[in-house]
Amino acid sequence: MTKALRKAVFPVAGLGTRFLPATKATAKEMLPVVDKPLIQYAVEEARAAGIEQFCMVTGRGKTALVEHFDVAYELEATLRERDKQDAMQLLAGTQVEPGSMVAVRQQVPLGLGHAIWCARAFIGADPFAILLPDDLVLADRPCLSQLAEVHAETGGNVIAVTEVERAHTSRYGIVDPGADDGRMVEVKGLVEKPAPEKAPSTLSIIGRYILTAEVLPHLARMERGAGNEVQLTDAMARLIGSQPFHALRYEGRRFDCGDKAGFLEAQIAFALKRPDLAPAVRDFLRRYV
Ligand code: G1P
């Protein structure tokens, strides 16, 4: 029987150099899309998929990420005193069960695989989700919930994938596809950031994974891959054959918020979904284009 999925890991130790100077003294995952920081979207998505335990893999200067999910006593007391119900309501998504969130440090930036390995004590022997907050998914049904549904059926490992232009395969982990029913794809192989002419397909991994703990011993080998980093993709590839491994073409739109243009596009797309903002945004967009 497949163990229930209750744990999620959030690798958030990156320096955010692509967003300097904004990220000089602030974590890039604290940058808001409309009015909510990227990390909160990720935590809310995890919670919607039944996750109860959260592990942030952080680094120096990233304490705001953990603070964000703590009680802000003075702020909350002041809001209560002034009877600011609406403002209090806005904080609801930042409240997590006492003791349900932990942070571990990734002291050196050796890659995504190394970041996940840093969470090994938290993961233990349980299946776990990974959410990369840079990848923001706009979907009617949250992306991780879609993966969790597949995972409950298939067990093993499930990753979210989307088609990219062949010219862009070198930015992503790419799937070597087996049986494909148009929605779910059997994963025969995985390659991290292949050159377009070497990519086995144009199906790219986005930052949503459900994996078994068996990936940990492969990460522990600390083998360097693309970019001389310890790659999660390489460790996952070693599970293929011994465990079920599926990719899901999720329903929704993904925005790469690690990229300036992607981040700006996310602002517009998410604002257009908000009844309080959409009319004004539609109106000013018309004036610009
Ligand atoms: C990471 C993964 C890559 C994946 C991507 C999704 O790359 O290594 O396989 O496709 O996230 O955003 P990074 O963006 O950290 O270079």
Side-chain angles (χ1 to χ4, degrees):
M1 208 192 93
T2 305
K3 273 199 210 166
L5 177 70
R6 294 286 176 259
K7 295 181 175 177
V9 177
F10 302 82
V12 288
L15 291 176
T17 45
R18 283 198 277 174
F19 275 96
L20 284 171
T23 49
K24 185 184 170 195
T26 307
K28 68 171 171 173
E29 298 82 3
M30 285 303 293
L31 299 179
V33 167
V34 184
D35 51 10
K36 200 193 284 184
L38 287 169
I39 188 65
Q40 193 179 329
Y41 284 97
V43 167
E44 287 180 2
E45 183 179 330
R47 210 193 256 138
I51 299 296
E52 293 171 354
Q53 297 175 52
F54 310 84
C55 179
M56 306 247 190
V57 183
T58 66
R60 284 164 58 79
K62 293 254 166 163
T63 42
L65 289 168
V66 181
E67 293 276 330
H68 188 71
F69 296 94
D70 203 345
V71 170
Y73 181 76
E74 286 169 359
L75 173 66
E76 289 171 33
T78 309
L79 294 178
R80 216 171 294 123
E81 215 171 87
R82 298 188 185 165
D83 199 27
K84 300 258 186 204
Q85 303 281 350
D86 292 355
M88 300 253 296
Q89 204 44 44
L90 292 174
L91 295 177
T94 67
Q95 285 153 3
V96 296
E97 280 287 299
S100 65
M101 185 173 280
V102 299
V104 296
R105 290 262 180 161
Q106 182 191 22
Q107 292 90 341
V108 278
L110 297 181
L112 179 59
H114 178 258
I116 301 305
W117 177 79
C118 288
R120 63 198 178 283
F122 168 81
I123 296 165
D126 297 322
F128 65 103
I130 303 172
L131 296 96
L132 308 186
D134 274 1
D135 280 329
L136 190 56
V137 187
L138 186 57
D140 292 335
R141 196 164 149 56
C143 185
L144 191 66
S145 299
Q146 298 177 38
L147 289 189
E149 207 175 280
V150 172
H151 178 255
E153 277 168 37
T154 63
N157 307 276
V158 188
I159 54 178
V161 292
T162 188
E163 294 285 350
V164 289
E165 284 174 39
R166 187 159 277 275
H168 294 164
T169 56
S170 60
R171 298 183 191 170
Y172 304 101
I174 301 290
V175 171
D176 184 0
D180 183 347
D181 69 4
R183 179 172 164 263
M184 252 163 69
V185 185
E186 193 191 320
V187 177
K188 272 198 336 198
L190 291 164
V191 197
E192 181 66 10
K193 302 195 170 84
E197 65 279 10
K198 292 206 173 134
S201 76
T202 50
L203 264 188
S204 77
I205 304 175
I206 72 148
R208 298 292 182 276
Y209 312 74
I210 296 175
L211 302 178
T212 65
E214 277 79 18
V215 76
L216 294 173
H218 297 298
L219 291 171
R221 295 153 75 150
M222 293 298 149
E223 276 170 26
R224 303 293 182 110
N228 197 32
E229 292 188 346
V230 180
Q231 294 293 353
L232 177 63
T233 302
D234 297 343
M236 292 193 304
R238 292 179 185 276
L239 297 174
I240 299 166
S242 60
Q243 299 189 342
F245 211 125
H246 295 92
L248 174 72
R249 288 192 182 87
Y250 62 94
E251 283 166 26
R253 262 190 79 198
R254 170 242 196 201
F255 299 90
D256 179 2
C257 292
D259 171 77
K260 280 174 199 159
F263 183 63
L264 290 174
E265 194 184 344
Q267 305 287 352
I268 303 292
F270 276 72
L272 287 173
K273 285 278 172 194
R274 288 263 301 253
D276 58 331
L277 289 171
V281 174
R282 219 171 276 126
D283 187 48
F284 77 61
L285 280 178
R286 245 179 251 124
R287 276 184 271 127
Y288 277 93
V289 292

